[in-house]
Amino acid sequence: MKKFFLTIFGALVALIAAAQGKIVTDSITDNCLGVEQKYNVYLPSGYDAAAQYPVIYLLHGLYGCYADWDQTGRMKDVADLLMASGECVPAVIIMPNAGDKDVHHYQNGYFNVEGWSYEDFFFQEFMPTVEAKYHCGGSKGMRAIMGLSMGGGGTIAYAQRHPDLFASAYGMSAWLHERSGDTRSEGQEADKLTLTARSVNEHSTLSFLDKADETTLAALRTVKWFIDCGDDDFLFDVNVQFHQKMREKGLKSELRVRDGGHTWEYWHTALYTALPFASRNFQR
């Protein structure tokens, strides 16, 4: 019996070792923002440029950058394992850049603010470019979006505002609403973090649901929604409020509350649920 289990274990290790995807770092010249933006791409094992793959957009959080999911979140390890086991179909995973660790002097976020037309860039330039280059996406049924914290809020807001483009949206510890006001003194320039927080408030996912008419709600029902937040997370309450508002509006949304806080340990383990969720909801 021991020999049998060792054989099975060895076969599993060999399978995972043979099914290694790779991370590619690329860049795009951004006409909306006037800068060059780097991004990471996960290409699954056996990637074939002649094929068309589903795509997952994986968004980073505040104080982060495009490299976080690879370097800190160990996304590749999870994707390799899940795709080797069949729990996730082979997919291209795109990790864009939407900020800088210096949040006080560099604009962050996934929304348009003065001098930072990021949402325009994402949908008008970034998405068409990367999907053509890496032979992925191309339609709502072949596209998913997910992210953590600021990226979790961006995930839900993007899917709310563009439900025709995403099959599913998975928010981890999502920054969904912000009540902070502008704390500038007269004549003082706004701190970039203040502008980022204000942009979250202006694109509040809770307010979006409050204002949604029946046509909008019908469009939102075409997206599969998932909220995942730790019970010790400082954003726990707003994530639960969002889920409750979804229920009040007759919109189905998955909710998972696990032990944990606003940490990389939590987000790394969330990928084991997030990637299969996206995979199940692709429509080939």
Side-chain angles (χ1 to χ4, degrees):
M1 183 64 70
K2 181 178 179 181
K3 183 177 180 180
F4 172 77
F5 283 114
L6 287 174
T7 301
I8 295 297
F9 178 75
L12 180 60
V13 170
L15 174 64
I16 295 172
Q20 294 286 312
K22 66 177 181 179
I23 299 287
V24 175
T25 299
D26 206 340
S27 64
I28 178 174
T29 300
D30 171 11
N31 294 318
C32 287
L33 304 179
V35 296
E36 183 179 58
Q37 290 281 7
K38 288 186 176 181
Y39 60 96
N40 271 350
V41 181
Y42 170 87
L43 301 176
S45 173
Y47 173 78
D48 179 1
Q52 185 73 9
Y53 292 85
V55 64
I56 299 170
Y57 289 92
L58 185 56
L59 311 185
H60 68 78
L62 190 66
Y63 298 96
C65 71
Y66 71 96
D68 285 0
W69 275 111
D70 175 38
Q71 295 178 356
T72 310
R74 307 193 311 281
M75 180 280 305
K76 179 183 177 300
D77 296 339
V78 180
D80 284 346
L81 178 63
L82 294 175
M83 292 182 194
S85 68
E87 294 178 74
C88 181
V89 298
V92 172
I93 303 175
I94 308 289
M95 292 153 275
N97 195 68
D100 187 89
K101 295 184 185 301
D102 182 0
V103 300
H104 297 286
H105 299 95
Y106 188 91
Q107 188 62 52
N108 285 259
Y110 296 93
F111 307 122
N112 290 347
V113 300
E114 184 178 354
W116 181 256
S117 301
Y118 193 88
E119 188 170 349
D120 290 345
F121 157 69
F122 187 92
F123 289 100
Q124 297 173 20
E125 298 184 43
F126 184 71
M127 182 182 288
T129 299
V130 297
E131 292 189 6
K133 186 170 185 177
Y134 291 101
H135 307 278
C136 60
S139 66
K140 170 185 173 74
M142 294 280 280
R143 193 180 290 124
I145 187 167
M146 59 184 65
L148 69 91
S149 194
M150 181 180 77
T155 289
I156 301 302
Y158 275 11
Q160 283 183 332
R161 294 152 64 80
H162 305 273
D164 56 317
L165 295 180
F166 300 104
S168 67
Y170 193 111
M172 310 172 198
S173 311
W175 190 12
L176 298 166
H177 182 80
E178 175 61 44
R179 295 188 180 277
S180 299
D182 189 345
T183 58
R184 286 179 296 175
S185 300
E186 185 176 352
Q188 180 183 9
E189 183 180 355
D191 184 294
K192 295 297 185 183
L193 181 55
T194 297
L195 297 180
T196 301
R198 187 195 301 164
S199 74
V200 172
N201 188 46
E202 291 171 348
H203 297 82
S204 166
T205 59
L206 275 65
S207 298
F208 186 95
L209 289 175
D210 288 336
K211 299 173 183 177
D213 58 21
E214 286 304 317
T215 300
T216 300
L217 293 175
L220 296 180
R221 291 189 183 98
T222 68
V223 180
K224 301 298 184 182
W225 305 89
F226 203 119
I227 293 295
D228 188 345
C229 191
D231 56 359
D232 296 319
D233 198 304
F234 70 93
L235 292 174
F236 174 79
D237 289 342
V238 72
N239 278 259
V240 172
Q241 288 168 19
F242 174 81
H243 179 72
Q244 291 173 330
K245 280 185 178 289
M246 291 283 281
R247 288 169 60 90
E248 291 167 5
K249 294 291 185 177
L251 299 170
K252 184 177 180 180
S253 173
E254 298 286 342
L255 173 66
R256 292 296 181 275
V257 178
R258 298 180 289 119
D259 182 38
H262 209 75
T263 67
W264 272 106
E265 178 184 4
Y266 191 92
W267 304 321
H268 168 76
T269 55
L271 287 173
Y272 287 96
T273 302
L275 296 182
F277 176 76
S279 180
R280 290 193 301 273
N281 290 297
F282 287 133
Q283 303 155 10
R284 292 183 177 272

